Amino acid sequence: MFRVPFLIAVALAIAFGGGILSAIWALQASAGFGAIRLGVWHAFPEAQTASADPYARSHRARAGRLLYGSAEGLVFTATEDPQGRRLNTGCTYRLHGRTPTARTWTLYAANAAGRPLPTPAALPSSFNARTVLRHQDGSFEILVSPEPQPGNWLTLPQTGSFSLVLTLLDTPAAGSSGLIGLDMPELERIGCDNG
């Protein structure tokens, strides 16, 4: 007698629970569909446009962040090294090369929510196109490490995993035609405290 209502209740619980959990996962997984990947860097150029998918719009509203328009800039994020290992604050990384053409750019280490990692005020926590030291050919090298490094050093606190956020402002790369053939800085892991 109670078997049919019980099975209906279980089916509804699974359907509604699964739907809610999958929506939450989709909102936390990315900023939407249409991601581009260049080496270790990924970006969502459609996330800030009128043609953004509903998940991208929800992600933007939930995060409460203002995204750049397609003509203003593009945000690239690196969460793993070229071997697919999650970036860890116990390791030292070397970021080298050039950035795509842009009026200016910024680089900082961020937590899982995309906010800059807390670092002491006297230590370098970010770089931009005007503060980075360059080689004669215009390329640069930045060492990302919890330990002091010579030259361009981006300090890391001892907090676990992190991501690197590279924002290109006023760049032709933000347009859909500029995404092919971009030269992005290369990232490599030099070593870790735990081996």
Side-chain angles (χ1 to χ4, degrees):
M1 179 170 155
F2 292 110
R3 183 176 179 193
V4 173
F6 174 74
L7 292 177
I8 292 173
V10 169
L12 288 174
I14 290 172
F16 283 115
I20 291 170
L21 290 176
S22 67
I24 291 172
W25 174 82
L27 289 175
Q28 292 176 344
S30 70
F33 301 104
I36 59 165
R37 191 163 186 88
L38 300 167
V40 298
W41 302 98
H42 63 272
F44 298 92
E46 297 292 320
Q48 64 270 21
T49 64
S51 61
D53 63 85
Y55 288 107
R57 291 179 186 176
S58 298
H59 190 274
R60 178 176 55 198
R62 187 169 188 249
R65 277 187 259 153
L66 180 64
L67 298 177
Y68 299 108
S70 59
E72 296 172 327
L74 188 58
V75 178
F76 285 92
T77 306
T79 56
E80 299 175 341
D81 66 14
Q83 286 72 40
R85 297 171 292 206
R86 187 84 172 99
L87 299 182
N88 189 304
T89 56
C91 299
T92 298
Y93 299 90
R94 178 177 170 251
L95 184 68
H96 60 95
R98 301 172 188 265
T99 61
T101 303
R103 184 176 301 271
T104 190
W105 55 266
T106 62
L107 174 75
Y108 64 90
N111 61 17
R115 293 182 176 81
L117 292 178
T119 56
L123 299 178
S125 59
S126 65
F127 280 97
N128 62 53
R130 297 183 71 176
T131 60
V132 70
L133 300 173
R134 297 178 186 272
H135 300 295
Q136 287 184 340
D137 64 357
S139 64
F140 61 85
E141 178 178 309
I142 299 173
L143 294 173
V144 183
S145 175
E147 300 297 323
Q149 303 291 327
N152 295 317
W153 167 48
L154 185 67
T155 185
L156 293 174
Q158 297 288 345
T159 58
S161 62
F162 72 98
S163 60
L164 289 173
V165 179
L166 175 66
T167 305
L168 305 174
L169 298 166
D170 195 10
T171 174
S176 60
S177 62
L179 296 174
I180 300 171
L182 289 182
D183 290 327
M184 296 296 290
E186 295 181 29
L187 181 68
E188 62 179 295
R189 187 166 88 168
I190 296 174
C192 294
D193 291 342
N194 55 6

